[in-house]
Amino acid sequence: MSHCHDEHHHHGHDHSEGSAHDHTDDITPALQNHVYEPIDFSAITTLNEAEPQSGAKIVQKTWMERMDQEPELNSDADEQLLMHIPFTGQIRLHSILLRTSTTSHAPMTLKLYLNREDLDFSTASSLPPTQTLELAQTNEIQEIGVKRALFNTVRSLDLFFEDNWSRGEEDVTKVSYLGFKGEWMKLSREPVNFIYEAAANPGDHKMASGVGEKLGSDIGGAGGRDGV
C-alpha cells in the first residue's frame, strides 16, 4: 500500500490531567495491574492521525474516562494508524485495553512491536511483529492478552492498526480508548535485581531490603505483587 501520511511531530502539551489520576477505584479487580503512571505521554507519536495529538489523548484518558467518546483517534489518509508509546519504566505487559465501536471503522488487526525507535508504515508492513492481535467489533472495553514471555522488558511499544472491519471500504479507523495492564519497575542504571546504589546513604532507605518488596512498591495499581 502506498502511503502519503503526514508524520505529525509532537508539539509540547500539558498533560497535568495525568498527574491528577484518581486512584480511588484502583482496588477494583478491573484496575489490578493497570499501567498508567509510567507512560511517557509527552513523547507519544501517532502517524496518520487526522487531528494532531489525538493518539496521545486517548492514551491519556484515565480509567474513569474510558467510556467517554471524546477525544477520539481517527485515521487520516487511509485506514492505517501507527502509534509509538514510550514508558518511563520497564514494563512487563499483560494485556492491551481498547475501546472502538460496533461500526466498520473499528480496527480489525493490531500488530505489536517491542522496543523499536525506527518504525514507519513501510517498515511495519514488512517487519514481522512481536505479536499480532485480532480485535473484536464492539463498543465495550476489550482486554486482549499478550504472550507475556515476549513482553517482559517493554521500554516502548509500537501499535500498528493495519486495517479495519470495513475490509477496504472505509478509509477512517477510529479508536476512543487505549490502555495497558502489566507490572512496571522504575528504570535505573543499576541492574534490576539490586536495590541499593553503590554509594547510597543508608538513611535514605527505610525499607528492609528484598527485591520483591521493592518491585511491589513500584508497580502501578493494586495486585502488583502477584508475580505474574
Side-chain angles (χ1 to χ4, degrees):
M1 178 177 296
S2 175
H3 284 277
C4 299
H5 300 113
D6 291 325
E7 298 191 9
H8 298 293
H9 294 285
H10 170 70
H11 298 284
H13 70 286
D14 176 26
H15 59 278
S16 57
E17 61 195 283
S19 61
H21 175 49
D22 182 5
H23 287 278
T24 57
D25 196 40
D26 279 7
I27 60 174
T28 65
L31 268 186
Q32 288 188 0
N33 300 99
H34 191 229
V35 173
Y36 188 87
E37 181 183 342
I39 300 173
D40 190 353
F41 296 106
S42 65
I44 293 174
T45 57
T46 306
L47 303 186
N48 197 39
E49 58 185 357
E51 179 185 340
Q53 299 310 313
S54 55
K57 287 176 182 176
I58 67 164
V59 180
Q60 204 167 341
K61 285 182 179 179
T62 64
W63 179 253
M64 300 296 290
E65 298 167 330
R66 67 193 182 278
M67 302 303 289
D68 294 353
Q69 191 59 37
E70 298 293 335
E72 183 179 62
L73 170 62
N74 293 333
S75 65
D76 188 13
D78 58 26
E79 74 279 12
Q80 296 189 337
L81 289 160
L82 182 59
M83 301 185 69
H84 176 73
I85 301 178
F87 299 95
T88 60
Q90 183 166 283
I91 308 299
R92 297 176 63 188
L93 186 65
H94 295 175
S95 58
I96 306 287
L97 301 169
L98 199 67
R99 182 169 186 253
T100 60
S101 69
T102 57
T103 73
S104 58
H105 297 288
M108 184 167 62
T109 307
L110 172 57
K111 293 183 176 181
L112 304 177
Y113 299 85
L114 182 66
N115 301 334
R116 304 285 305 203
E117 301 293 335
D118 59 345
L119 283 193
D120 55 21
F121 284 103
S122 175
T123 309
S125 296
S126 59
L127 188 72
T130 308
Q131 187 175 353
T132 299
L133 305 176
E134 301 301 324
L135 307 179
Q137 196 176 16
T138 175
N139 57 13
E140 299 299 321
I141 296 292
Q142 301 179 57
E143 180 174 357
I144 311 106
V146 301
K147 297 176 182 177
R148 297 188 185 186
L150 301 177
F151 295 91
N152 276 334
T153 57
V154 182
R155 296 179 298 279
S156 69
L157 191 67
D158 282 76
L159 298 92
F160 178 32
F161 294 93
E162 188 173 38
D163 51 18
N164 61 32
W165 277 87
S166 75
R167 293 178 171 84
E169 297 299 317
E170 295 282 356
D171 282 342
V172 179
T173 295
K174 299 184 177 186
V175 182
S176 63
Y177 174 77
L178 177 62
F180 307 95
K181 280 189 178 183
E183 304 170 32
W184 66 281
M185 289 185 62
K186 293 178 180 177
L187 292 179
S188 71
R189 295 180 181 179
E190 295 297 315
V192 295
N193 59 325
F194 282 88
I195 296 220
Y196 300 115
E197 301 164 6
N201 180 351
D204 292 341
H205 301 280
K206 307 298 182 185
M207 208 184 316
S209 191
V211 173
E213 185 171 355
K214 179 63 174 176
L215 176 62
S217 69
D218 283 343
I219 293 171
R225 297 168 184 252
D226 58 11
V228 295

